[in-house]
Amino acid sequence: MTFDPKSFLAPIFPAGGAAADPEKTIRAHLPQKRRGRTIVVGAGKGAAQMAAAFEKAWDGPLAGLVVTRYGYAAPTTRIEVLEAAHPVPDENGLKASRRLLEAVSGLTEDDLVVALICGGGSALLPAPADGLTLADEVAVNEALLASGAPISAMNTIRKHVSAIKGGRLAAAAWPAKVVSLVVSDIPGDDPALVASGPTVPSVGSRQDALAAISAYGMKLPEAVMTHINSPAADAPQPSDERFARNEVSLIASAAVSLEAAAAEAARQGIPAVILSDAIEGEAREVGSVHAAIAREVAWRNRPFSPPVLILSGGETTVTLKAKGKGGRNTEFLLSLAIGIDGLDGVHALAADTDGIDGSEDNAGAFCDGTTVARMRAAGVDAKSRLARNDAWTAFHAVGDLFVPGPTGTNVNDLRAILIR
């Protein structure tokens, strides 16, 4: 029977996502009811699916709204689903942020706010601080996406130009109790950094934000820099009494998804190893390192013996040098493909668990030791496309894009390298 590497790798992706299925994870983390109202708010690329799951699990009255990316809505009956732009904020995101703040205003200490937070919420919740505009926040977001900064630095900056991030949504709900159910797409799983922490404050200061802006050479609007340099930008700290009764539960993460992916590989008869669930760095450099590991295994049977599936997660970054098409997973994989060019028996899949890598409709792509040669035959130079941040075009030319569609969850990237 012929072994098809793509047929082996493709089920690895949904197996990892199933471990973060909100129908399972939310039911296991339901908060205690309170005497007053229950208001549900949320944001992220999986927020609608989280809302639908919460409605099914909650047996009392509730109301509320969540915001998700265009095309990511799910059927709900009591929780309204709004849609806005990602990764660059738009006017609908601004309106959604205002409505979320309105939804938690005027509550009492008998009320309960349940916050459903997952990756993607930073872009979906534009709420410029006093004196700033949506255009300012868009400019900040575009600069962050092009900077190559890690997500922790990006979200530290975001929360200091916002009226809703950095715990401010929870502060607006005080004296109601806020219970945050968080799906982490952040290396290290700090819930205060997921979606820039609208309901979970962090200790990061505006001095930290300024240091990151300087370190990554970001050019931000003058009004933004004036704001961050002023005390008005200070975000509430975790010690603030308004957060004293609140609770935070991490209900899904990359670690759990990678373990599920490894179990699926074992079910198919291939042992798996997990390098890390928190790998960061420039996507093309991380791809080169993974390629070196694959070569070592294929040539010298170390540090693992084939057959083996090497898994890793985390969130790489892309420093934009040109305006090509693609995302961090296709950029990682194109670098990997160049590193394993001509190497027999190595096949890989890299994809974003939310189903979208960058701005196109693919989650990622497949590659193997023949990928670069096949690209060349199709008139595409792999190294040139990598230099132009145009990995999508390269993989599209050889039909190796991976397009599962929106998944309803987001626990960061999943990278799987099969060495036979």
Side-chain angles (χ1 to χ4, degrees):
M1 183 174 171
T2 302
F3 180 84
D4 179 7
K6 283 188 179 179
S7 295
F8 168 81
L9 288 168
I12 299 295
F13 181 79
D21 184 348
E23 292 244 359
K24 299 176 183 177
T25 56
I26 283 179
R27 191 172 293 276
H29 293 87
L30 290 175
Q32 287 188 335
K33 294 184 177 69
R34 296 182 66 81
R35 290 183 297 178
R37 303 166 61 197
T38 298
I39 304 296
V40 179
V41 293
K45 286 184 275 188
Q49 288 75 13
M50 293 177 75
F54 190 85
E55 283 187 343
K56 290 181 182 179
W58 190 255
D59 63 0
L62 60 84
L65 67 157
V66 300
V67 57
T68 191
R69 177 178 174 153
Y70 293 125
Y72 278 46
T76 55
T77 57
R78 293 175 288 170
I79 302 171
E80 184 180 359
V81 176
L82 307 176
E83 293 181 284
H86 182 283
V88 178
D90 69 354
E91 189 69 31
N92 283 338
L94 185 62
K95 293 176 182 177
S97 295
R98 289 170 179 162
R99 290 198 55 196
L100 287 175
L101 287 166
E102 291 170 359
V104 302
S105 65
L107 299 180
T108 73
E109 62 182 12
D110 290 329
D111 296 325
L112 171 67
V113 173
V114 179
L116 308 175
I117 307 298
C118 58
S122 294
L124 294 165
L125 290 176
D130 287 345
L132 301 181
T133 66
L134 177 60
D136 289 326
E137 195 157 349
V138 168
V140 169
N141 210 59
E142 290 177 336
L144 293 174
L145 293 174
S147 69
I151 191 66
S152 56
M154 292 169 66
N155 286 358
T156 297
I157 295 168
R158 282 170 169 146
K159 78 170 192 172
H160 285 95
V161 297
S162 175
I164 196 170
K165 301 178 177 76
R168 292 179 178 88
L169 180 60
W174 188 83
K177 181 172 183 173
V178 178
V179 175
S180 300
L181 305 183
V182 180
V183 175
S184 173
D185 67 334
I186 299 292
D189 296 330
D190 183 350
L193 294 176
V194 180
S196 303
T199 57
V200 185
S202 72
V203 296
S205 67
R206 60 188 173 90
Q207 286 74 27
D208 295 325
L210 288 166
I213 291 167
S214 175
Y216 292 93
M218 299 180 203
K219 304 298 183 185
L220 303 184
E222 184 178 348
V224 171
M225 294 305 300
T226 298
H227 176 75
I228 297 180
N229 274 289
S230 74
D234 288 332
Q237 294 294 297
S239 58
D240 191 312
E241 66 174 356
R242 291 173 293 180
F243 306 122
R245 295 185 302 120
N246 294 351
E247 297 176 5
V248 181
S249 292
L250 184 69
I251 67 171
S253 68
V256 173
S257 291
L258 287 173
E259 289 163 5
E264 171 60 23
R267 188 191 68 78
Q268 295 192 58
I270 302 291
V273 295
I274 298 173
L275 294 182
S276 171
D277 65 352
I279 292 177
E280 297 181 276
E282 194 71 25
R284 65 183 63 193
E285 295 173 4
V286 175
S288 294
V289 172
H290 279 62
I293 294 171
R295 292 195 304 267
E296 192 73 10
V297 173
W299 290 342
R300 298 186 176 89
N301 293 337
R302 64 185 188 193
F304 318 112
S305 296
V308 65
L309 182 71
I310 298 175
L311 295 166
S312 71
E315 183 168 339
T316 61
T317 52
V318 174
T319 302
L320 292 177
K321 309 290 186 182
K323 293 187 177 181
K325 291 183 178 181
R328 60 182 184 262
N329 284 285
T330 46
E331 180 132 335
F332 161 88
L333 204 68
L334 187 54
S335 175
L336 177 75
I338 293 168
I340 62 169
D341 184 24
L343 189 60
D344 189 36
V346 179
H347 307 265
L349 166 67
D352 193 318
T353 53
D354 65 21
I356 297 294
D357 183 45
S359 59
E360 305 305 313
D361 64 352
N362 64 304
F366 296 96
C367 83
D368 57 39
T370 71
T371 296
V372 171
R374 289 186 288 114
M375 288 177 178
R376 190 180 305 115
V380 173
D381 181 76
K383 290 183 178 179
S384 174
R385 294 293 173 176
L386 182 62
R388 293 155 59 183
N389 302 119
D390 200 21
W392 182 93
T393 299
F395 285 110
H396 180 262
V398 293
D400 278 345
L401 292 172
F402 178 53
V403 189
T407 63
T409 191
N410 184 12
V411 287
N412 229 309
D413 302 332
L414 189 151
R415 298 177 285 269
I417 304 171
L418 171 65
I419 303 158
R420 296 182 62 198

